[in-house]
mmCIF file of all heavy atoms in Angstrom:
data_model
loop_
_atom_site.group_PDB
_atom_site.id
_atom_site.type_symbol
_atom_site.label_atom_id
_atom_site.label_comp_id
_atom_site.label_asym_id
_atom_site.label_seq_id
_atom_site.Cartn_x
_atom_site.Cartn_y
_atom_site.Cartn_z
ATOM 1 N N THR A 123 98.350 63.765 40.591
ATOM 2 C CA THR A 123 97.546 62.865 39.758
ATOM 3 C C THR A 123 98.320 62.434 38.524
ATOM 4 O O THR A 123 98.301 61.259 38.135
ATOM 5 C CB THR A 123 96.230 63.536 39.339
ATOM 6 O OG1 THR A 123 95.511 63.932 40.517
ATOM 7 C CG2 THR A 123 95.367 62.582 38.511
ATOM 8 N N GLY A 146 82.049 68.074 18.178
ATOM 9 C CA GLY A 146 82.221 69.159 19.123
ATOM 10 C C GLY A 146 82.770 70.419 18.474
ATOM 11 O O GLY A 146 82.920 70.487 17.241
ATOM 12 N N GLN A 155 99.988 63.190 23.660
ATOM 13 C CA GLN A 155 101.357 63.718 23.705
ATOM 14 C C GLN A 155 102.004 63.492 25.058
ATOM 15 O O GLN A 155 103.207 63.249 25.153
ATOM 16 C CB GLN A 155 101.341 65.210 23.381
ATOM 17 C CG GLN A 155 100.905 65.558 21.972
ATOM 18 C CD GLN A 155 100.748 67.049 21.749
ATOM 19 O OE1 GLN A 155 100.688 67.816 22.699
ATOM 20 N NE2 GLN A 155 100.672 67.469 20.493
ATOM 21 N N GLY A 161 103.560 58.198 32.438
ATOM 22 C CA GLY A 161 103.527 56.807 32.876
ATOM 23 C C GLY A 161 102.136 56.230 32.937
ATOM 24 O O GLY A 161 101.889 55.299 33.727
ATOM 25 N N GLU A 170 90.825 61.714 32.759
ATOM 26 C CA GLU A 170 91.026 62.555 33.949
ATOM 27 C C GLU A 170 91.016 64.031 33.577
ATOM 28 O O GLU A 170 90.416 64.867 34.271
ATOM 29 C CB GLU A 170 92.357 62.193 34.625
ATOM 30 C CG GLU A 170 92.752 63.099 35.786
ATOM 31 C CD GLU A 170 91.755 63.086 36.936
ATOM 32 O OE1 GLU A 170 90.999 62.101 37.074
ATOM 33 O OE2 GLU A 170 91.726 64.081 37.717
ATOM 34 N N ARG A 217 95.856 89.014 15.979
ATOM 35 C CA ARG A 217 97.273 89.266 16.241
ATOM 36 C C ARG A 217 97.680 88.499 17.496
ATOM 37 O O ARG A 217 96.883 88.292 18.405
ATOM 38 C CB ARG A 217 97.534 90.765 16.421
ATOM 39 C CG ARG A 217 97.065 91.596 15.235
ATOM 40 C CD ARG A 217 97.441 93.052 15.365
ATOM 41 N NE ARG A 217 98.861 93.263 15.117
ATOM 42 C CZ ARG A 217 99.391 93.428 13.915
ATOM 43 N NH1 ARG A 217 98.639 93.390 12.837
ATOM 44 N NH2 ARG A 217 100.682 93.617 13.775
ATOM 45 N N THR A 219 101.396 86.602 19.799
ATOM 46 C CA THR A 219 102.760 86.780 20.320
ATOM 47 C C THR A 219 103.652 85.566 20.061
ATOM 48 O O THR A 219 104.717 85.458 20.654
ATOM 49 C CB THR A 219 102.706 87.058 21.830
ATOM 50 O OG1 THR A 219 102.050 85.961 22.496
ATOM 51 C CG2 THR A 219 101.930 88.337 22.125
ATOM 52 N N LEU A 257 104.157 88.028 9.797
ATOM 53 C CA LEU A 257 105.175 87.919 10.840
ATOM 54 C C LEU A 257 104.985 89.002 11.902
ATOM 55 O O LEU A 257 105.143 88.754 13.101
ATOM 56 C CB LEU A 257 106.572 88.007 10.225
ATOM 57 C CG LEU A 257 106.962 86.884 9.256
ATOM 58 C CD1 LEU A 257 108.284 87.200 8.572
ATOM 59 C CD2 LEU A 257 107.043 85.543 9.977
ATOM 60 N N LEU A 295 124.567 91.979 -28.316
ATOM 61 C CA LEU A 295 123.983 90.652 -28.284
ATOM 62 C C LEU A 295 123.679 90.186 -26.865
ATOM 63 O O LEU A 295 122.730 89.441 -26.624
ATOM 64 C CB LEU A 295 124.937 89.648 -28.974
ATOM 65 C CG LEU A 295 125.097 89.821 -30.483
ATOM 66 C CD1 LEU A 295 126.114 88.813 -31.020
ATOM 67 C CD2 LEU A 295 123.759 89.668 -31.196
ATOM 68 N N LEU A 382 137.999 81.621 11.821
ATOM 69 C CA LEU A 382 137.265 80.424 12.225
ATOM 70 C C LEU A 382 137.861 79.160 11.613
ATOM 71 O O LEU A 382 137.382 78.035 11.901
ATOM 72 C CB LEU A 382 135.797 80.557 11.817
ATOM 73 C CG LEU A 382 135.002 81.646 12.552
ATOM 74 C CD1 LEU A 382 133.650 81.863 11.885
ATOM 75 C CD2 LEU A 382 134.820 81.259 14.020
ATOM 76 N N GLU A 387 144.001 78.542 0.779
ATOM 77 C CA GLU A 387 144.479 79.055 -0.514
ATOM 78 C C GLU A 387 144.844 77.865 -1.404
ATOM 79 O O GLU A 387 145.452 76.894 -0.950
ATOM 80 C CB GLU A 387 145.722 79.920 -0.310
ATOM 81 C CG GLU A 387 145.603 80.970 0.792
ATOM 82 C CD GLU A 387 144.595 82.064 0.477
ATOM 83 O OE1 GLU A 387 144.358 82.317 -0.725
ATOM 84 O OE2 GLU A 387 144.043 82.647 1.425
ATOM 85 N N ARG A 395 135.854 76.470 2.680
ATOM 86 C CA ARG A 395 135.694 75.023 2.791
ATOM 87 C C ARG A 395 134.235 74.675 3.147
ATOM 88 O O ARG A 395 133.907 74.258 4.236
ATOM 89 C CB ARG A 395 136.674 74.460 3.817
ATOM 90 C CG ARG A 395 136.834 72.941 3.767
ATOM 91 C CD ARG A 395 137.883 72.433 4.744
ATOM 92 N NE ARG A 395 139.248 72.674 4.286
ATOM 93 C CZ ARG A 395 140.054 73.604 4.781
ATOM 94 N NH1 ARG A 395 139.627 74.404 5.745
ATOM 95 N NH2 ARG A 395 141.288 73.757 4.325
ATOM 96 N N ASP A 459 126.458 79.786 12.731
ATOM 97 C CA ASP A 459 125.019 79.886 12.894
ATOM 98 C C ASP A 459 124.337 78.559 12.543
ATOM 99 O O ASP A 459 124.991 77.617 12.069
ATOM 100 C CB ASP A 459 124.458 81.007 12.014
ATOM 101 C CG ASP A 459 124.797 82.393 12.558
ATOM 102 O OD1 ASP A 459 125.180 82.494 13.732
ATOM 103 O OD2 ASP A 459 124.678 83.372 11.800
ATOM 104 N N PRO A 481 98.428 81.345 -23.225
ATOM 105 C CA PRO A 481 99.414 81.975 -22.333
ATOM 106 C C PRO A 481 99.831 83.353 -22.822
ATOM 107 O O PRO A 481 99.967 83.575 -24.039
ATOM 108 C CB PRO A 481 100.598 81.001 -22.373
ATOM 109 C CG PRO A 481 100.447 80.242 -23.646
ATOM 110 C CD PRO A 481 98.968 80.145 -23.888
ATOM 111 N N GLY A 582 88.777 80.471 14.795
ATOM 112 C CA GLY A 582 90.019 79.879 14.296
ATOM 113 C C GLY A 582 90.995 80.864 13.677
ATOM 114 O O GLY A 582 92.138 80.502 13.395
ATOM 115 N N SER A 655 92.277 95.362 -0.361
ATOM 116 C CA SER A 655 91.285 96.256 0.243
ATOM 117 C C SER A 655 90.033 95.495 0.623
ATOM 118 O O SER A 655 89.714 94.428 0.067
ATOM 119 C CB SER A 655 90.935 97.383 -0.736
ATOM 120 O OG SER A 655 90.216 96.880 -1.841
#
Side-chain angles (χ1 to χ4, degrees):
T123 302
Q155 295 173 344
E170 174 61 23
R217 305 185 74 85
T219 59
L257 296 172
L295 292 178
L382 293 169
E387 312 293 334
R395 194 176 284 105
D459 287 344
S655 69

